[in-house]
Amino acid sequence: MNIEQYEYMPGPHDAAGIKMLLHDPNEIPRVHALGQAIPPGSHVFVGVKMIEITNLPRPHGDCFDKSLEYADMYTTEACQLDCLTRRAAEKCGCRSLFMPEKNETFPMMSAALCDCPVPCSFRLYETDISYASTSEYSLNKFLSDDDKGNLSQSLLEAAEVTSRYEVAKYSQIQSLYDNFVRHMDTVRRRVIVNVKETVNKATLEVNQRYKEIEDHYNWKDYLYRYQEYILQKNFMRPRDAYEERIFHIVALGYAEYIMTVEGRIRMLAGGEFTDDSTRRLLYEDISALLTNRKMIVEIALVNYTSLIEAYDTGIQIFNYKFFDTPRAHNIPAAPKLLIKESRVHNSYATRYGKRFGSYLNRTIAVLEVCHELLDEAYSNMTLDEESMTDCREKFRYLMRNWVFARSVFYFDTIDWPLKQIEERHENFDKQWNELNTVFGNLNQSLISLKTEIESFEEGTFESIKEIRDSVKDYLNNTVSKLYISERFTSLSFKHLVTKFDLFFQQLRSRESSMMDWLSQMNDDAFGILKVIVYDQDSWEYYNFTGRTEYLGNISDIESDLKENYTATAALMQFSLTVNGSDSVLLSTFSDFVEEMMAYKDSLKIDSSFIKDNFLHVDIFYRQMSYEEIHQQKAYDMFSLWCDIGGTMGLFLGASFLSLVELVDFILTHTVNPKKGNKEHTRKQFL
């Protein structure tokens, strides 16, 4: 039997199953009062024994058979219902076979006012019931494929009806839908509207912070290039000019030169030329060689002195113009401290910077000594060999060491400031490139996030709205609950929920990354500002150009910078804007999926379905016989006279024996009392 529990609707009873009553076909069954409950999922064995009862009418018994108006055969139940129906007709003007269940007036009236004795002949069915659970493997035994198909359709139709008309079930879907709508609106407002707007603001703020530091970088980059230009054109270019004009000649062929001079002086002193004019020409030629070289060395010394003065004071020698920058900017823009430091920054610069000029001065003195030896050789035709040798060796020594000193002087003094500025510029550019990379990552992440929000709005969110609208269609009775359950339990919805959750995970991950990048950008920006502020070689130019912000306290600059970046960071706290609305909506999804899974499970035709809806009843006779009970007259007149005679005989016999014993007792105790006592004693002894 299929009790079709899936068709049940809420009512006054909370039990499921059947009530069974075995009764005579002629009796009106009192199932409610006498029925035996059988639950679903059970296999019931009902053993039956039939009993026929025949009662005696009055005065020997209480049975009575009478004709009834509304029943063909008399039974107590039929008599009560017949009486009840007649009274209902009299009171209400109607004759319904079944009275209202909640109106207790008529049943009480029938019990109190109707004379309905037991019938004189009726049947009883005595039952013995035993129970067993239905096996979970009995599905295929109970149902064929056709049965399953029909049941599935019936079950689906019943579920659709009960899901709408059962208040609790319908209210549950309505409540879930209301939560769905409310939480979706919250997500839309907080994410698609607020977060998108916040991303736009954050993008503007980040770009503003970048533009601010970019302006600082560009200005400092210009100053570095300007200082490099000043060093190259106004300090190093004079050296190059001096080198090109004079310095390269000072030691040019110095060994050959001094040997030539020495040889010709010896010729004058040796008397090889007796002709005065020839000797005069040779003298003038040697004198010219010495004078010219001395003049070259003296000019080199003057040039060296101008270089030293420039590097000692930081005032340029030349005054080249840097693009459109006025020449008046050259002096304040020059890195004077660095230029001055180049003279003493290490022992080589200190030592060989001095030796450069010292060797030139000493060379002039040596050349003068050589000229004196020339004059003596020309005039006296004599030569001091020791002096000549000393002059030659000192000149060679001075030139050889001057060449080395010049090289060191160029490297450690003349070229050193430019190398320092270039190194500073390179490090500054590295810092800028790091900041630029961080800004690029941050800005691109913000742009990507905006794109992802738009994609989320147009894709994932729209798909979720379609799911939501399908629930609305169900509530408006345009689609079935099975339809929405299929959507909520589908693989595509699972993927949709995964995409939804992944979007918010990525949002929080991006927020964390962007906060790190913004913090790094702040650190890099502060590092760039520190380079600018701490560059003492530029302070004069800062003041000259009115860039007094670079002359302030670094702590104040850091505080202002941090305040700006803190305000920007506040805009990128997207998780605070979302405020867990995604988790709430995900919870709503889970509630819907759970509800729809339960609904789909309720539509399965399986062993659980069998146990909830089917029961198996075997009814059989316990034995192939039945019992008859007849009431009979147990006492008639003959039995009465017999009982009287017997009783009287009993009484008469008892009276005669009692009289004889009484006479004997009297005689025994009055005529011969002693004998009586002895006999009594003897009897007692025995």
Side-chain angles (χ1 to χ4, degrees), residues 26-74:
N26 295 315
E27 290 183 358
I28 296 176
R30 297 170 61 192
V31 180
H32 180 73
L34 302 177
Q36 292 174 299
I38 298 177
S42 61
H43 190 165
V44 182
F45 299 89
V46 183
V48 182
K49 177 182 180 181
M50 187 180 74
I51 302 175
E52 287 192 351
I53 298 177
T54 303
N55 293 321
L56 291 175
R58 296 170 183 167
H60 303 287
D62 292 328
C63 75
F64 183 75
D65 291 333
K66 61 180 180 179
S67 61
L68 302 175
E69 185 174 352
Y70 297 103
D72 296 330
M73 182 176 179
Y74 177 85

Side-chain angles (χ1 to χ4, degrees), residues 377-520:
Y378 177 69
S379 301
N380 302 324
M381 298 182 68
T382 61
L383 179 64
D384 186 348
E385 290 293 337
E386 183 179 353
S387 296
M388 188 70 240
T389 301
D390 184 61
C391 182
R392 181 190 72 225
E393 292 304 320
K394 282 184 178 180
F395 182 81
R396 292 171 63 181
Y397 169 79
L398 290 172
M399 287 297 97
R400 182 170 62 250
N401 284 279
W402 179 82
V403 169
F404 180 75
R406 179 185 65 175
S407 176
V408 174
F409 177 65
Y410 285 174
F411 183 83
D412 283 323
T413 299
I414 303 301
D415 296 338
W416 185 78
L418 178 61
K419 288 185 290 185
Q420 298 305 306
I421 290 294
E422 288 176 341
E423 184 177 349
R424 292 178 185 179
H425 195 181
E426 182 181 358
N427 292 334
F428 187 71
D429 282 343
K430 285 181 180 178
Q431 286 183 284
W432 170 250
N433 290 334
E434 289 176 2
L435 184 145
N436 210 32
T437 300
V438 171
F439 164 75
N441 292 335
L442 178 56
N443 191 56
Q444 185 59 46
S445 185
L446 286 167
I447 294 172
S448 299
L449 179 56
K450 182 180 178 181
T451 302
E452 288 175 6
I453 293 174
E454 292 172 350
S455 177
F456 172 79
E457 178 184 9
E458 296 170 1
T460 304
F461 198 76
E462 282 297 320
S463 299
I464 293 174
K465 284 171 62 178
E466 292 178 5
I467 298 290
R468 180 203 64 190
D469 292 341
S470 67
V471 181
K472 182 179 180 181
D473 292 339
Y474 166 74
L475 295 173
N476 291 334
N477 202 24
T478 57
V479 299
S480 66
K481 190 172 182 179
L482 179 63
Y483 173 77
I484 63 171
S485 67
E486 291 289 352
R487 299 204 69 177
F488 274 102
T489 57
S490 65
L491 187 60
S492 60
F493 181 73
K494 184 177 180 180
H495 290 163
L496 185 63
V497 173
T498 301
K499 288 174 62 178
F500 178 88
D501 188 33
L502 184 61
F503 169 79
F504 285 94
Q505 290 182 18
Q506 292 175 341
L507 177 65
R508 292 180 174 88
S509 176
R510 281 188 179 275
E511 175 186 340
S512 178
S513 299
M514 287 189 287
M515 292 296 282
D516 291 341
W517 285 330
L518 185 65
S519 176
Q520 184 62 47

Side-chain angles (χ1 to χ4, degrees), residues 557-621:
I557 294 174
E558 181 182 18
S559 178
D560 293 341
L561 186 70
K562 186 175 182 180
E563 182 178 350
N564 290 335
Y565 275 85
T566 299
T568 305
L571 290 173
M572 293 194 296
Q573 293 180 338
F574 308 122
S575 57
L576 294 180
T577 304
V578 175
N579 197 24
S581 58
D582 58 314
S583 298
V584 177
L585 188 54
L586 281 172
S587 178
T588 302
F589 293 160
S590 298
D591 293 341
F592 252 115
V593 170
E594 183 179 353
E595 178 71 19
M596 295 302 108
M597 287 293 293
Y599 177 75
K600 290 189 69 176
D601 288 342
S602 69
L603 300 178
K604 292 180 179 178
I605 307 297
D606 54 12
S607 58
S608 297
F609 176 82
I610 293 296
K611 289 184 177 182
D612 288 340
N613 294 278
F614 282 78
L615 56 88
H616 191 175
V617 182
D618 286 332
I619 302 176
F620 55 89
Y621 283 108

Side-chain angles (χ1 to χ4, degrees), residues 127-146:
T127 58
D128 288 333
I129 296 181
S130 59
Y131 296 86
S133 296
T134 300
S135 171
E136 62 181 10
Y137 302 106
S138 60
L139 175 62
N140 294 328
K141 177 182 178 181
F142 280 6
L143 303 174
S144 65
D145 291 338
D146 291 339

Side-chain angles (χ1 to χ4, degrees), residues 146-210:
D146 291 339
D147 292 333
K148 292 178 185 177
N150 294 334
L151 270 178
S152 296
Q153 185 62 33
S154 300
L155 180 59
L156 176 60
E157 293 173 356
E160 289 293 338
V161 173
T162 55
S163 65
R164 294 184 185 279
Y165 291 99
E166 202 171 310
V167 176
K169 293 182 179 179
Y170 189 82
S171 298
Q172 175 69 6
I173 301 299
Q174 182 68 59
S175 176
L176 289 173
Y177 172 75
D178 292 341
N179 290 338
F180 202 155
V181 172
R182 183 171 66 257
H183 299 323
M184 271 199 69
D185 184 66
T186 301
V187 169
R188 184 195 64 80
R189 184 178 67 256
R190 292 182 179 176
V191 179
I192 297 176
V193 177
N194 294 348
V195 172
K196 186 192 293 186
E197 181 180 350
T198 303
V199 169
N200 290 333
K201 290 181 180 179
T203 303
L204 293 175
E205 284 293 321
V206 168
N207 279 271
Q208 178 64 26
R209 301 285 82 77
Y210 176 78

Side-chain angles (χ1 to χ4, degrees), residues 351-366:
R351 183 183 311 121
Y352 288 97
K354 294 178 180 179
R355 288 181 180 181
F356 187 101
S358 174
Y359 289 147
L360 292 178
N361 279 316
R362 291 167 63 185
T363 300
I364 293 172
V366 169

